């Protein structure tokens, strides 16, 4: 059985903040349909690398190829147009809008009625808006919170707000779903629900890049993992390979993880 094609290839990434070399020659390769984990101790550079990939930071050097085409991570909207949708560690929903409206906002990235259609409410614009609403409801159902479609986002539980963020990201029809610590602040039940949802998304053929502090979640969910320490890659491979790597054990996981 042949390997899936490479969806995202990143190589030679360097990033400096003043006198601090935050990233040194960092890269990874994510294949279609994988959940790919990015981990490391605090200050390892994983958030910086994640922010470079998703256009929040502009790298000093690096090569970026998504689905066979180069892209320039110089702005978040350009990365979104290229096909990468991200969530943030701190939830960034429109609290006063309904859950459905939040997802519809995400969907508008991929629509085309334009200003004229919006102002004059053309037949094309009305049809497109109905389609956006229908797709929004489908995505809320997909992540398991359809019953909250008309609830203000701020009234949802923490775990459900996380799922709403994922639904909004999926509304952009991304090639790569990039999740920034989605399990942060979750209890055990919410983490299990999240794990099941991410497995479901992968099983449906989507590709996920996951930055996460919960090592147990990463090791139980991801197909491959990159470990950073002091802005450099110290290990890459399957979870089993990474857990056995002496450099990882020393830097991050602790000796007990090797057993």
């Amino acid at each position: 059985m042949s390997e899936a094609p490479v969806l995202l290839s990143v190589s030679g990434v360097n990033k400096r903040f003043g006198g601090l070399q935050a990233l040194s020659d960092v890269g990874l390769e994510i294949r279609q349909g994988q959940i790919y984990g990015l981990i490391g101790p605090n200050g390892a550079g994983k958030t910086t690398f994640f922010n470079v990939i998703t256009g929040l930071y502009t790298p000093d050097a690096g090569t970026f190829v998504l689905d066979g085409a180069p892209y320039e991570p110089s702005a978040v909207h350009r990365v979104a147009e290229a096909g990468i949708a991200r969530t943030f560690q701190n939830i960034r929903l429109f609290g006063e809008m309904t859950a459905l409206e939040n997802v519809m906002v995400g969907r508008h990235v991929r629509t085309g009625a334009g200003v004229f259609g919006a102002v004059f409410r053309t037949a094309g614009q009305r049809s497109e808006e109905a389609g956006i609403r229908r797709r929004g409801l489908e995505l809320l159902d997909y992540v398991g919170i359809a019953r909250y479609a008309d609830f203000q986002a701020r009234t949802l539980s923490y775990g459900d707000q996380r799922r709403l963020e994922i639904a909004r990201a999926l509304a952009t029809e991304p090639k790569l779903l990039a999740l920034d610590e989605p399990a942060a602040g979750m209890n055990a039940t919410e983490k299990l629900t999240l794990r099941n949802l991410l497995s479901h998304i992968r099983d449906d053929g989507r590709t996920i890049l996951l930055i996460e502090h919960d090592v147990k979640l990463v090791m139980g969910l991801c197909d491959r993992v990159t470990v950073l320490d002091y802005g450099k890659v110290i290990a890459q491979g399957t979870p089993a390979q990474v857990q056995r790597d002496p450099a990882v054990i020393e830097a991050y996981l602790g000796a007990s993880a090797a057993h």
Side-chain angles (χ1 to χ4, degrees):
M1 184 176 170
S2 61
E3 282 192 291
V6 174
L7 178 69
L8 177 69
S9 176
V10 178
S11 60
V13 173
N14 291 306
K15 179 64 178 177
R16 178 181 287 275
F17 296 103
L20 173 67
Q21 187 69 41
L23 298 172
S24 300
D25 195 27
V26 177
L28 53 69
E29 192 174 87
I30 304 176
R31 294 187 178 274
Q32 181 73 43
Q34 286 183 333
I35 299 180
Y36 199 106
L38 182 61
I39 64 172
N42 288 331
K46 58 187 183 299
T47 299
T48 300
F49 186 42
F50 188 91
N51 285 339
V52 164
I53 290 172
T54 56
L56 207 61
Y57 297 160
T58 301
D60 300 324
T63 303
F64 302 82
V65 179
L66 179 67
D67 202 16
Y71 80 93
E72 197 174 314
S74 57
V76 172
H77 70 275
R78 287 182 182 159
V79 172
E81 288 166 2
I84 297 177
R86 70 164 291 173
T87 63
F88 290 84
Q89 182 179 352
N90 299 316
I91 291 174
R92 297 190 182 184
L93 295 169
F94 299 105
E96 302 303 315
M97 293 169 63
T98 67
L100 176 58
E101 288 167 343
N102 269 273
V103 180
M104 289 174 69
V105 166
R107 187 66 183 165
H108 275 96
V109 173
R110 296 289 179 225
T111 56
V115 174
F116 179 87
V119 171
F120 293 100
R121 297 289 293 171
T122 63
Q125 196 272 343
R126 290 196 301 272
S127 174
E128 187 172 73
E129 198 70 15
I132 292 169
R133 181 180 179 83
R134 186 165 55 248
R135 181 58 178 153
L137 289 169
E138 288 172 356
L139 286 167
L140 288 175
D141 184 57
Y142 183 81
V143 302
I145 56 171
R147 62 192 178 280
Y148 301 130
D150 296 323
F151 285 56
Q152 285 185 313
R154 63 179 176 81
T155 67
L156 271 59
S157 71
Y158 184 83
D160 287 340
Q161 287 187 27
R162 287 286 186 194
R163 288 196 277 173
L164 177 55
E165 276 203 314
I166 292 172
R168 185 174 64 182
L170 288 172
T172 70
E173 299 295 337
K175 296 173 181 176
L176 178 70
L177 180 62
L179 305 179
D180 186 358
E181 299 204 26
M186 285 189 173
N187 60 38
T189 301
E190 289 169 335
K191 283 183 181 180
L192 179 59
T193 301
L194 174 69
R195 176 176 172 165
N196 291 338
L197 173 59
L198 297 185
S199 294
H200 183 39
I201 292 170
R202 172 182 54 194
D203 292 345
D204 283 342
R206 293 199 179 273
T207 310
I208 298 172
L209 171 61
L210 177 68
I211 180 174
E212 182 55 62
H213 263 100
D214 189 324
V215 176
K216 184 178 178 182
L217 178 68
V218 169
M219 294 303 176
L221 185 62
C222 292
D223 300 290
R224 291 187 70 81
V225 179
T226 285
V227 187
L228 297 181
D229 196 25
Y230 295 106
K232 297 179 180 180
V233 174
I234 61 169
Q236 289 181 321
T238 66
Q241 290 169 337
V242 165
Q243 282 178 298
R244 290 194 302 267
D245 191 295
V248 176
I249 295 167
E250 182 182 349
Y252 189 36
L253 294 174
S256 62
H259 301 294

